[in-house]
Amino acid sequence: MKFNKTFLSVLGLFAGLSLYAQQEVNRPKLVVGIVVDQMRWDYLYRYQDRYSNGGFKRLLNEGFSSENTYIPYIPTVTAIGHSSIYTGSVPAIHGIAGNDFIIQATGQEMYCTQDDSVTGVGATSKAGKMSPKNLLVSTVTDQLRLATNFRSKVIGISLKDRGAILPAGHFANAAFWFDGESGNWISSSFYMKELPKWVQNFNNKKLAEKYLDTWNTLYPINTYVQSEKDGNPYRQNYKGLDKMQFPYNLNNLKKENGLGLIRSTPFGNSLTKDIAIEAIDNEKLGQNEKGITDFLAVSFSSTDYVGHQFSPNTIEAEDTYLRLDKDLETLFNHLDQKVGKGEYLVFLTADHGGAHNPKYFQDKKGNAGYFPTGDVKKSLNEKLVAKFKVDNLIRSFANYQIHLNYQTIEQNNLNVDEVKTEIVNFMQKVEGVSFVADMDKIDSTPIPAIIKERMVNGYNRKRSGAITYVLEPQWYGGKQNSGGTTHGTWGSYDSHIPFVLMGWGIKHGANNNRVFMTDIAPTISALLHIEEPNGNIGSPVTEVLQQK
């Protein structure tokens, strides 16, 4: 029997297509990276008996949890955390040395995502003048785009610009963040010329205004046994409110606080969940007909704002996590329906934790304290003036680092090493300071190895202060007896974070091996069979790499 050439060509084409389909890399349809801002690891379990089966419990019951995941640098702050999660790197390499940092060569103060060369999209204020240009290395999201010849779609979403931009990376299709002035979600010209129609429609719903009605507890207030009683003193007041206790009339408060108030309520997380679902639907994430993997990077920021406002061990903090649990359940259920259960990969982690309020700790008879940064800076400056007869030798105490005014030092022909020695000697005697080091001489400074390594990892010569100081446990910079909390130190409350994966290619389990935030990006890279980010220093968590 003879076959004509056309038939043979068609047969060969189908054979080639079949072979191509068989050789397609096995990847999930969608990766959803979730960062819960200021989520300590113990919050996975602190309220576990109150969580639903579909949120945090589902992650733990179906997924794999690395129970001892730590941040390997200081300071532990938001911009660095988001950068390190997605790059597998540290400030010494990726360059994001703080939420704000100083360009040491010029003394210029720089916000982490500041980019004066771009314009806002959806906003006329400087809130839109943002991009990832200050991030010096690639992200796992960048590597996914490269690996698929830019066919993958990557989108970042967060109330905070830095929480959306830094995870989405340099090659993202879009990043969206919340503008507290207008109540809208915005972007910048780095990504687009105008907001997509679906974002415009979402903004037109005015959901922020609708959410800002009343905040009462999700459950009867007497059931919040994991928290201090309502109205306790370990918190800061909302602007315009003297009595801090439930229920909060948010509708009245927004008149004085603006729509940005939603950030400091659990409803900021709900709003973030809402737009994340809109992005999944309208951008058709995980629904690429060619089987190309998409990536949605979501950061829930209200946990951080609430933490700073109220501190741990408060009903407000507990209620925020109980409501976030419901939001996660809604998000996971939507992913099940839209992408398919088992067809998407989720990982959840945090950019940092949060300390107990020092007064709370002291009242329970624990050792803790407030470091009066402004007073110490003033006293140190007086000491330096007496020694060198020159004022303003110090620019800042930002990020638990002392930044020198190199221009003044040079103009007055001072020896920079002598100035640093005088500062180190002074700081060693200040109450609350545990260790201090001239970063050029840290190898010879007697500091425990694990702390020394974190100091080195967090030091970027071009963007960090010349001297790093470490406070005693449960101390942080702040005014005496001030409410709320903060973060930034090496202590477990700031550096022990969750890392849980669920869905595609993940078997249920847990480990207690010491792993690091920098291991997250290479783990995701290994699961996706893509090159790790170009500044990565982490290693894949091998127990996770058990694909179907």
Short mmCIF file of all heavy atoms in Angstrom, two decimals, residues 292-343:
data_model
loop_
_atom_site.label_atom_id
_atom_site.label_comp_id
_atom_site.label_asym_id
_atom_site.label_seq_id
_atom_site.Cartn_x
_atom_site.Cartn_y
_atom_site.Cartn_z
N ILE A 292 1.47 26.32 30.65
CA ILE A 292 2.56 27.13 31.20
C ILE A 292 2.19 27.55 32.62
O ILE A 292 1.08 28.01 32.88
CB ILE A 292 2.84 28.36 30.33
CG1 ILE A 292 3.15 27.93 28.90
CG2 ILE A 292 3.99 29.17 30.90
CD1 ILE A 292 4.34 27.02 28.75
N THR A 293 3.14 27.45 33.54
CA THR A 293 2.91 27.79 34.95
C THR A 293 2.88 29.30 35.17
O THR A 293 3.77 30.02 34.71
CB THR A 293 4.02 27.18 35.83
OG1 THR A 293 4.03 25.77 35.67
CG2 THR A 293 3.80 27.52 37.29
N ASP A 294 1.87 29.77 35.86
CA ASP A 294 1.77 31.17 36.27
C ASP A 294 2.14 31.29 37.75
O ASP A 294 2.23 30.29 38.46
CB ASP A 294 0.36 31.70 36.03
CG ASP A 294 0.00 31.75 34.54
OD1 ASP A 294 0.89 32.04 33.73
OD2 ASP A 294 -1.17 31.47 34.21
N PHE A 295 2.33 32.53 38.20
CA PHE A 295 2.75 32.76 39.59
C PHE A 295 2.01 33.98 40.14
O PHE A 295 2.08 35.06 39.56
CB PHE A 295 4.25 33.00 39.66
CG PHE A 295 4.89 32.70 40.99
CD1 PHE A 295 5.86 31.72 41.11
CD2 PHE A 295 4.52 33.39 42.13
CE1 PHE A 295 6.46 31.43 42.32
CE2 PHE A 295 5.09 33.12 43.36
CZ PHE A 295 6.08 32.14 43.45
N LEU A 296 1.32 33.79 41.26
CA LEU A 296 0.66 34.88 41.97
C LEU A 296 1.33 35.03 43.33
O LEU A 296 1.31 34.11 44.15
CB LEU A 296 -0.83 34.58 42.16
CG LEU A 296 -1.63 35.60 42.99
CD1 LEU A 296 -1.64 36.97 42.32
CD2 LEU A 296 -3.05 35.10 43.22
N ALA A 297 1.96 36.19 43.55
CA ALA A 297 2.62 36.48 44.83
C ALA A 297 1.72 37.41 45.63
O ALA A 297 1.48 38.55 45.22
CB ALA A 297 3.98 37.13 44.58
N VAL A 298 1.22 36.93 46.76
CA VAL A 298 0.29 37.69 47.59
C VAL A 298 0.90 37.90 48.97
O VAL A 298 1.38 36.95 49.59
CB VAL A 298 -1.06 36.97 47.75
CG1 VAL A 298 -2.03 37.84 48.56
CG2 VAL A 298 -1.66 36.63 46.40
N SER A 299 0.87 39.13 49.45
CA SER A 299 1.32 39.41 50.81
C SER A 299 0.16 40.01 51.60
O SER A 299 -0.43 41.00 51.18
CB SER A 299 2.50 40.39 50.79
OG SER A 299 2.95 40.66 52.11
N PHE A 300 -0.16 39.37 52.72
CA PHE A 300 -1.21 39.87 53.61
C PHE A 300 -0.54 40.75 54.67
O PHE A 300 0.17 40.27 55.54
CB PHE A 300 -1.96 38.71 54.25
CG PHE A 300 -2.83 37.95 53.29
CD1 PHE A 300 -2.41 36.75 52.75
CD2 PHE A 300 -4.07 38.45 52.91
CE1 PHE A 300 -3.21 36.04 51.87
CE2 PHE A 300 -4.87 37.76 52.02
CZ PHE A 300 -4.44 36.54 51.49
N SER A 301 -0.80 42.05 54.58
CA SER A 301 -0.05 43.03 55.37
C SER A 301 -0.74 43.48 56.65
O SER A 301 -0.09 44.03 57.54
CB SER A 301 0.25 44.26 54.51
OG SER A 301 0.92 43.92 53.32
N SER A 302 -2.04 43.29 56.76
CA SER A 302 -2.75 43.83 57.93
C SER A 302 -2.29 43.20 59.22
O SER A 302 -2.37 43.82 60.28
CB SER A 302 -4.26 43.66 57.76
OG SER A 302 -4.76 44.61 56.85
N THR A 303 -1.81 41.97 59.16
CA THR A 303 -1.28 41.34 60.37
C THR A 303 -0.12 42.16 60.93
O THR A 303 0.07 42.23 62.15
CB THR A 303 -0.81 39.91 60.04
OG1 THR A 303 -0.16 39.92 58.75
CG2 THR A 303 -1.97 38.95 59.98
N ASP A 304 0.67 42.78 60.06
CA ASP A 304 1.79 43.61 60.51
C ASP A 304 1.29 44.92 61.11
O ASP A 304 1.72 45.33 62.19
CB ASP A 304 2.72 43.90 59.34
CG ASP A 304 3.95 44.68 59.76
OD1 ASP A 304 4.77 44.15 60.52
OD2 ASP A 304 4.10 45.85 59.32
N TYR A 305 0.36 45.57 60.43
CA TYR A 305 -0.18 46.83 60.94
C TYR A 305 -0.88 46.62 62.29
O TYR A 305 -0.71 47.42 63.21
CB TYR A 305 -1.14 47.45 59.93
CG TYR A 305 -0.48 48.03 58.71
CD1 TYR A 305 -0.49 47.35 57.49
CD2 TYR A 305 0.14 49.28 58.76
CE1 TYR A 305 0.11 47.90 56.36
CE2 TYR A 305 0.74 49.83 57.63
CZ TYR A 305 0.72 49.13 56.43
OH TYR A 305 1.31 49.67 55.32
N VAL A 306 -1.66 45.56 62.38
CA VAL A 306 -2.36 45.26 63.64
C VAL A 306 -1.36 44.92 64.73
O VAL A 306 -1.49 45.33 65.88
CB VAL A 306 -3.37 44.12 63.44
CG1 VAL A 306 -3.91 43.63 64.78
CG2 VAL A 306 -4.52 44.57 62.54
N GLY A 307 -0.30 44.16 64.36
CA GLY A 307 0.72 43.82 65.33
C GLY A 307 1.41 45.06 65.88
O GLY A 307 1.60 45.20 67.10
N HIS A 308 1.79 45.97 65.00
CA HIS A 308 2.43 47.20 65.45
C HIS A 308 1.49 48.02 66.33
O HIS A 308 1.92 48.62 67.32
CB HIS A 308 2.85 48.06 64.24
CG HIS A 308 4.11 47.60 63.58
ND1 HIS A 308 5.34 47.69 64.18
CD2 HIS A 308 4.32 47.05 62.35
CE1 HIS A 308 6.27 47.22 63.36
NE2 HIS A 308 5.68 46.83 62.24
N GLN A 309 0.22 48.03 65.99
CA GLN A 309 -0.76 48.84 66.72
C GLN A 309 -1.09 48.23 68.08
O GLN A 309 -1.15 48.93 69.09
CB GLN A 309 -2.04 48.95 65.90
CG GLN A 309 -3.10 49.85 66.50
CD GLN A 309 -3.08 51.23 65.90
OE1 GLN A 309 -2.78 51.42 64.74
NE2 GLN A 309 -3.38 52.23 66.72
N PHE A 310 -1.28 46.91 68.11
CA PHE A 310 -1.85 46.29 69.32
C PHE A 310 -0.89 45.34 70.04
O PHE A 310 -1.09 45.10 71.23
CB PHE A 310 -3.13 45.54 68.95
CG PHE A 310 -4.22 46.42 68.43
CD1 PHE A 310 -4.45 46.54 67.07
CD2 PHE A 310 -5.00 47.16 69.30
CE1 PHE A 310 -5.45 47.36 66.58
CE2 PHE A 310 -6.00 48.00 68.82
CZ PHE A 310 -6.23 48.10 67.46
N SER A 311 0.09 44.77 69.36
CA SER A 311 1.06 43.81 69.90
C SER A 311 0.45 42.42 70.03
O SER A 311 -0.77 42.25 69.98
CB SER A 311 1.60 44.25 71.27
OG SER A 311 0.72 43.94 72.33
N PRO A 312 1.28 41.39 70.16
CA PRO A 312 0.76 40.04 70.42
C PRO A 312 0.01 39.99 71.76
O PRO A 312 0.06 40.94 72.54
CB PRO A 312 2.04 39.18 70.48
CG PRO A 312 3.08 39.97 69.77
CD PRO A 312 2.74 41.41 70.03
N ASN A 313 -0.66 38.89 71.99
CA ASN A 313 -1.37 38.67 73.25
C ASN A 313 -2.54 39.63 73.46
O ASN A 313 -2.96 39.89 74.58
CB ASN A 313 -0.42 38.78 74.46
CG ASN A 313 0.80 37.89 74.31
OD1 ASN A 313 1.88 38.37 73.98
ND2 ASN A 313 0.63 36.62 74.51
N THR A 314 -3.07 40.17 72.34
CA THR A 314 -4.25 41.02 72.43
C THR A 314 -5.38 40.38 71.63
O THR A 314 -5.14 39.63 70.68
CB THR A 314 -3.98 42.43 71.88
OG1 THR A 314 -3.55 42.33 70.52
CG2 THR A 314 -2.91 43.13 72.70
N ILE A 315 -6.60 40.70 72.00
CA ILE A 315 -7.75 40.16 71.29
C ILE A 315 -7.74 40.63 69.84
O ILE A 315 -8.14 39.89 68.93
CB ILE A 315 -9.05 40.59 72.00
CG1 ILE A 315 -9.12 39.93 73.38
CG2 ILE A 315 -10.28 40.22 71.17
CD1 ILE A 315 -10.30 40.37 74.23
N GLU A 316 -7.27 41.86 69.60
CA GLU A 316 -7.22 42.38 68.24
C GLU A 316 -6.33 41.50 67.36
O GLU A 316 -6.67 41.20 66.21
CB GLU A 316 -6.72 43.82 68.24
CG GLU A 316 -7.71 44.82 68.78
CD GLU A 316 -7.67 44.95 70.30
OE1 GLU A 316 -6.94 44.16 70.96
OE2 GLU A 316 -8.36 45.83 70.83
N ALA A 317 -5.17 41.11 67.88
CA ALA A 317 -4.26 40.26 67.11
C ALA A 317 -4.88 38.88 66.88
O ALA A 317 -4.83 38.34 65.76
CB ALA A 317 -2.92 40.12 67.83
N GLU A 318 -5.47 38.31 67.91
CA GLU A 318 -6.09 36.99 67.77
C GLU A 318 -7.23 37.03 66.75
O GLU A 318 -7.34 36.15 65.89
CB GLU A 318 -6.61 36.51 69.13
CG GLU A 318 -7.24 35.13 69.07
CD GLU A 318 -7.62 34.60 70.45
OE1 GLU A 318 -7.21 35.19 71.47
OE2 GLU A 318 -8.32 33.56 70.51
N ASP A 319 -8.08 38.04 66.85
CA ASP A 319 -9.21 38.14 65.93
C ASP A 319 -8.73 38.32 64.49
O ASP A 319 -9.35 37.78 63.55
CB ASP A 319 -10.10 39.31 66.32
CG ASP A 319 -11.48 39.24 65.69
OD1 ASP A 319 -12.22 38.28 65.99
OD2 ASP A 319 -11.81 40.12 64.87
N THR A 320 -7.63 39.04 64.31
CA THR A 320 -7.08 39.23 62.96
C THR A 320 -6.66 37.91 62.35
O THR A 320 -6.91 37.66 61.15
CB THR A 320 -5.90 40.21 63.01
OG1 THR A 320 -6.38 41.50 63.44
CG2 THR A 320 -5.23 40.35 61.65
N TYR A 321 -6.04 37.03 63.14
CA TYR A 321 -5.62 35.74 62.60
C TYR A 321 -6.81 34.80 62.37
O TYR A 321 -6.82 34.02 61.41
CB TYR A 321 -4.57 35.09 63.51
CG TYR A 321 -3.20 35.61 63.17
CD1 TYR A 321 -2.68 36.74 63.82
CD2 TYR A 321 -2.44 35.03 62.17
CE1 TYR A 321 -1.45 37.25 63.47
CE2 TYR A 321 -1.21 35.53 61.82
CZ TYR A 321 -0.71 36.64 62.47
OH TYR A 321 0.51 37.16 62.12
N LEU A 322 -7.82 34.88 63.21
CA LEU A 322 -9.01 34.06 63.00
C LEU A 322 -9.73 34.48 61.71
O LEU A 322 -10.24 33.64 60.97
CB LEU A 322 -9.96 34.18 64.19
CG LEU A 322 -9.41 33.64 65.53
CD1 LEU A 322 -10.46 33.81 66.63
CD2 LEU A 322 -9.00 32.18 65.42
N ARG A 323 -9.75 35.77 61.45
CA ARG A 323 -10.38 36.26 60.22
C ARG A 323 -9.51 35.96 59.00
O ARG A 323 -10.03 35.63 57.92
CB ARG A 323 -10.66 37.75 60.33
CG ARG A 323 -11.78 38.09 61.34
CD ARG A 323 -12.00 39.58 61.45
NE ARG A 323 -13.04 39.91 62.40
CZ ARG A 323 -14.34 39.94 62.12
NH1 ARG A 323 -14.76 39.67 60.89
NH2 ARG A 323 -15.23 40.26 63.04
N LEU A 324 -8.20 36.05 59.14
CA LEU A 324 -7.30 35.69 58.04
C LEU A 324 -7.49 34.21 57.69
O LEU A 324 -7.46 33.84 56.51
CB LEU A 324 -5.85 35.97 58.40
CG LEU A 324 -4.80 35.51 57.38
CD1 LEU A 324 -5.01 36.17 56.02
CD2 LEU A 324 -3.38 35.79 57.90
N ASP A 325 -7.67 33.38 58.68
CA ASP A 325 -7.91 31.96 58.45
C ASP A 325 -9.12 31.76 57.53
O ASP A 325 -9.10 30.93 56.61
CB ASP A 325 -8.13 31.26 59.79
CG ASP A 325 -8.41 29.78 59.65
OD1 ASP A 325 -7.52 29.04 59.18
OD2 ASP A 325 -9.52 29.36 60.01
N LYS A 326 -10.17 32.52 57.77
CA LYS A 326 -11.37 32.45 56.92
C LYS A 326 -11.06 32.94 55.50
O LYS A 326 -11.55 32.37 54.51
CB LYS A 326 -12.49 33.31 57.52
CG LYS A 326 -12.98 32.85 58.89
CD LYS A 326 -13.80 31.57 58.78
CE LYS A 326 -14.47 31.24 60.11
NZ LYS A 326 -15.20 29.95 60.04
N ASP A 327 -10.25 33.99 55.39
CA ASP A 327 -9.88 34.51 54.08
C ASP A 327 -9.07 33.48 53.29
O ASP A 327 -9.25 33.31 52.08
CB ASP A 327 -9.09 35.80 54.22
CG ASP A 327 -9.94 36.98 54.66
OD1 ASP A 327 -11.14 37.00 54.31
OD2 ASP A 327 -9.42 37.87 55.36
N LEU A 328 -8.14 32.80 53.98
CA LEU A 328 -7.35 31.76 53.31
C LEU A 328 -8.25 30.62 52.84
O LEU A 328 -8.06 30.10 51.73
CB LEU A 328 -6.28 31.21 54.27
CG LEU A 328 -5.14 32.17 54.62
CD1 LEU A 328 -4.23 31.53 55.66
CD2 LEU A 328 -4.33 32.55 53.38
N GLU A 329 -9.22 30.24 53.65
CA GLU A 329 -10.15 29.18 53.26
C GLU A 329 -10.90 29.58 51.98
O GLU A 329 -11.04 28.77 51.05
CB GLU A 329 -11.15 28.91 54.38
CG GLU A 329 -12.14 27.80 54.05
CD GLU A 329 -13.07 27.49 55.22
OE1 GLU A 329 -13.28 28.38 56.06
OE2 GLU A 329 -13.55 26.35 55.29
N THR A 330 -11.35 30.83 51.93
CA THR A 330 -12.05 31.31 50.73
C THR A 330 -11.13 31.27 49.51
O THR A 330 -11.54 30.85 48.42
CB THR A 330 -12.57 32.73 50.96
OG1 THR A 330 -13.47 32.74 52.07
CG2 THR A 330 -13.28 33.27 49.72
N LEU A 331 -9.89 31.72 49.69
CA LEU A 331 -8.93 31.72 48.59
C LEU A 331 -8.64 30.30 48.11
O LEU A 331 -8.63 30.03 46.89
CB LEU A 331 -7.64 32.41 49.04
CG LEU A 331 -6.50 32.44 48.01
CD1 LEU A 331 -6.92 33.18 46.75
CD2 LEU A 331 -5.25 33.08 48.63
N PHE A 332 -8.41 29.37 49.03
CA PHE A 332 -8.11 27.99 48.64
C PHE A 332 -9.30 27.34 47.94
O PHE A 332 -9.13 26.61 46.95
CB PHE A 332 -7.71 27.17 49.87
CG PHE A 332 -6.44 27.62 50.54
CD1 PHE A 332 -6.20 27.34 51.88
CD2 PHE A 332 -5.48 28.34 49.85
CE1 PHE A 332 -5.04 27.75 52.51
CE2 PHE A 332 -4.31 28.78 50.47
CZ PHE A 332 -4.10 28.48 51.80
N ASN A 333 -10.49 27.60 48.44
CA ASN A 333 -11.69 27.03 47.79
C ASN A 333 -11.84 27.56 46.37
O ASN A 333 -12.24 26.83 45.46
CB ASN A 333 -12.94 27.36 48.62
CG ASN A 333 -13.03 26.56 49.90
OD1 ASN A 333 -12.38 25.52 50.04
ND2 ASN A 333 -13.83 27.03 50.84
N HIS A 334 -11.53 28.83 46.18
CA HIS A 334 -11.63 29.41 44.84
C HIS A 334 -10.59 28.79 43.91
O HIS A 334 -10.89 28.52 42.73
CB HIS A 334 -11.45 30.93 44.90
CG HIS A 334 -11.75 31.61 43.61
ND1 HIS A 334 -13.03 31.89 43.20
CD2 HIS A 334 -10.94 32.06 42.61
CE1 HIS A 334 -13.01 32.48 42.03
NE2 HIS A 334 -11.75 32.59 41.64
N LEU A 335 -9.39 28.57 44.42
CA LEU A 335 -8.36 27.93 43.62
C LEU A 335 -8.76 26.51 43.24
O LEU A 335 -8.51 26.05 42.12
CB LEU A 335 -7.04 27.92 44.38
CG LEU A 335 -6.32 29.28 44.50
CD1 LEU A 335 -5.23 29.22 45.55
CD2 LEU A 335 -5.74 29.71 43.16
N ASP A 336 -9.40 25.80 44.18
CA ASP A 336 -9.89 24.45 43.89
C ASP A 336 -10.84 24.46 42.70
O ASP A 336 -10.77 23.61 41.81
CB ASP A 336 -10.62 23.87 45.10
CG ASP A 336 -9.68 23.51 46.26
OD1 ASP A 336 -8.47 23.40 46.02
OD2 ASP A 336 -10.18 23.35 47.38
N GLN A 337 -11.73 25.44 42.71
CA GLN A 337 -12.76 25.50 41.68
C GLN A 337 -12.21 26.02 40.35
O GLN A 337 -12.57 25.53 39.28
CB GLN A 337 -13.91 26.40 42.15
CG GLN A 337 -14.64 25.88 43.38
CD GLN A 337 -15.55 26.92 44.00
OE1 GLN A 337 -15.78 27.98 43.44
NE2 GLN A 337 -16.09 26.62 45.19
N LYS A 338 -11.33 27.01 40.42
CA LYS A 338 -10.89 27.69 39.20
C LYS A 338 -9.71 27.00 38.53
O LYS A 338 -9.64 26.92 37.30
CB LYS A 338 -10.50 29.13 39.54
CG LYS A 338 -10.63 30.09 38.37
CD LYS A 338 -12.09 30.36 38.06
CE LYS A 338 -12.25 31.33 36.90
NZ LYS A 338 -13.67 31.65 36.65
N VAL A 339 -8.77 26.51 39.34
CA VAL A 339 -7.57 25.89 38.80
C VAL A 339 -7.61 24.37 38.93
O VAL A 339 -7.14 23.65 38.06
CB VAL A 339 -6.31 26.45 39.49
CG1 VAL A 339 -5.04 25.86 38.89
CG2 VAL A 339 -6.28 27.98 39.41
N GLY A 340 -8.20 23.90 40.02
CA GLY A 340 -8.32 22.47 40.25
C GLY A 340 -7.48 22.03 41.44
O GLY A 340 -6.28 22.34 41.52
N LYS A 341 -8.09 21.32 42.37
CA LYS A 341 -7.37 20.83 43.54
C LYS A 341 -6.24 19.91 43.09
O LYS A 341 -6.43 19.01 42.29
CB LYS A 341 -8.33 20.10 44.47
CG LYS A 341 -7.71 19.73 45.82
CD LYS A 341 -8.75 19.15 46.76
CE LYS A 341 -8.13 18.85 48.12
NZ LYS A 341 -9.12 18.30 49.07
N GLY A 342 -5.06 20.15 43.63
CA GLY A 342 -3.90 19.37 43.24
C GLY A 342 -3.19 19.88 42.00
O GLY A 342 -2.12 19.39 41.64
N GLU A 343 -3.76 20.89 41.35
CA GLU A 343 -3.16 21.44 40.13
C GLU A 343 -2.36 22.71 40.41
O GLU A 343 -1.67 23.21 39.53
CB GLU A 343 -4.25 21.75 39.10
CG GLU A 343 -5.04 20.55 38.63
CD GLU A 343 -4.20 19.59 37.80
OE1 GLU A 343 -3.18 20.03 37.23
OE2 GLU A 343 -4.55 18.40 37.74
#
